[in-house]
Amino acid sequence: MTKTDAETLPEYEKPPVIEVVCGVLFKPIGALLIPHFVLLWEKFKPEYSACQEVAPLMPAIERFEDSPGIEFQIADVPPLPRIWFLHTDGNGIIQVQRDRFLHNWRKVRPGDQYPRYHNVIQMFKDRLSRFQAFLDDRKLGTVVPTQYEMTYVNHIPKGDGWETINDIGKVFPDFAWQASEQRFLSAPEGIDWRTNFLMPNRTGRLHVTIRSGVRREDGHRLLLFELTARGIGNDTSPEGMWAWFDLARERIVRGFTDLTGHEVQKNIWRRKR
């Protein structure tokens, strides 16, 4: 994506994004063992002052040839846990496992502002570079990418353009509920919609989910709108990698705009262009 393309992307003053995840899936590094995670954590302290162990993520590879879809792979080496390094301010998470490295920005306080793509991708670049430097210093191996991924998680609370599921079409015009007295079914109790779209030149897919839910901290009803770009291009050089993330960001931003209503864009999220 060129600079000109980026300058024409839709932009919002108050986007509903509450989390952005950037990650790379790579060939498993068999030499990376549990003790190395402790040493790696030292490289990120004191900025990332807490550590947490969670279940590993299973590789899900986008395929396009003989059997289009997602291929779930089983690793040849014993699984290790996924380790989280948590930033002192709560907004950042580094996730590491034997075949994956991710960085999350997340909103944890009402006043937290989305730092924008340029800053999010720079944080990911920096953390990934420090991870590779650690692997080099310890002679453990190198990151050989097999897939990239980027996810934007949006929360649209009740009151921001909708009050009941009957209003879903005000936020997502493609899914308007056609209520009438002649219908047998009442309005849905909740929604759980998902689909995917091809990215240009089979560089990946954009996966979209829209679900109804409640906010954990106060039980307030909301719509969860998640967009994930996943794939890899033919150019796996560092330059090709960052070009893929720029493309993924474009697909996510334009996809978000394509699927949401003009009124909520203008009045709630304050679309600027």
Side-chain angles (χ1 to χ4, degrees):
M1 185 174 64
T2 66
K3 182 178 179 181
T4 301
D5 292 334
E7 290 173 345
T8 63
L9 283 179
E11 186 177 354
Y12 301 88
E13 184 179 332
K14 297 178 64 177
V17 58
I18 59 102
E19 187 167 12
V20 180
V21 187
C22 302
V24 56
L25 180 69
F26 46 84
K27 293 182 179 179
I29 299 175
L32 186 63
L33 305 175
I34 286 290
H36 294 123
F37 290 142
V38 178
L39 299 173
L40 178 62
W41 186 20
E42 293 297 326
K43 298 291 185 181
F44 289 104
K45 286 181 177 179
E47 195 177 3
Y48 292 80
S49 56
C51 181
Q52 185 176 334
E53 183 178 295
V54 297
L57 297 170
M58 180 182 294
I61 303 295
E62 302 292 336
R63 297 299 186 197
F64 300 96
E65 294 82 19
D66 298 332
S67 301
I70 301 173
E71 176 185 313
F72 292 95
Q73 296 185 339
I74 305 298
D76 296 329
V77 293
L80 292 180
R82 178 166 39 119
I83 302 299
W84 284 8
F85 303 145
L86 296 101
H87 199 280
T88 53
D89 65 10
N91 294 116
I93 304 175
I94 293 171
Q95 304 187 57
V96 190
Q97 62 184 56
R98 189 171 261 159
D99 62 353
R100 196 179 300 234
F101 187 94
L102 306 102
H103 185 268
N104 304 47
W105 171 85
R106 59 180 182 173
K107 180 177 181 177
V108 294
R109 292 167 292 271
D112 289 341
Q113 297 294 316
Y114 169 51
R116 303 295 168 173
Y117 171 74
H118 174 74
N119 294 308
V120 168
I121 200 68
Q122 282 300 129
M123 285 189 282
F124 176 55
K125 286 182 180 181
D126 173 75
R127 280 52 168 182
L128 180 61
S129 175
R130 288 156 70 179
F131 175 57
Q132 182 59 70
F134 171 82
L135 296 177
D136 293 341
D137 291 344
R138 297 283 169 176
K139 296 181 172 55
L140 296 174
T142 190
V143 171
V144 179
T146 57
Q147 188 166 260
Y148 312 127
E149 59 186 284
M150 173 180 278
T151 296
Y152 276 60
V153 181
N154 302 278
H155 280 184
I156 307 171
K158 176 183 174 182
D160 282 9
W162 70 282
E163 293 294 334
T164 71
I165 294 298
N166 284 341
D167 300 325
I168 189 69
K170 296 178 181 179
V171 182
F172 301 104
D174 294 307
F175 309 104
W177 176 253
Q178 304 297 325
S180 74
E181 294 181 356
Q182 286 72 43
R183 296 203 67 150
F184 170 74
L185 292 173
S186 60
E189 181 182 17
I191 57 171
D192 187 353
W193 177 84
R194 61 192 64 225
T195 193
N196 51 270
F197 304 88
L198 285 173
M199 292 170 60
N201 303 315
R202 294 187 170 185
T203 50
R205 289 186 178 88
L206 177 65
H207 298 268
V208 178
T209 63
I210 302 170
R211 294 175 290 142
S212 53
V214 296
R215 197 158 50 199
R216 185 179 305 167
E217 55 267 28
D218 59 8
H220 191 77
R221 294 182 63 197
L222 52 76
L223 300 173
L224 295 89
F225 181 27
E226 188 170 307
L227 301 100
T228 296
R230 196 164 54 215
I232 194 168
N234 293 324
D235 182 1
T236 57
S237 68
E239 295 78 12
M241 176 179 181
W242 304 123
W244 186 93
F245 277 99
D246 288 345
L247 173 65
R249 181 250 187 150
E250 179 195 21
R251 306 309 289 187
I252 288 172
V253 172
R254 295 194 188 279
F256 174 96
T257 301
D258 193 48
L259 290 170
T260 54
H262 295 299
E263 290 301 312
V264 71
Q265 290 176 17
K266 180 177 68 174
N267 298 328
I268 304 299
W269 305 323
R270 299 181 186 174
R271 182 173 176 178
K272 298 162 67 175
R273 66 168 183 245

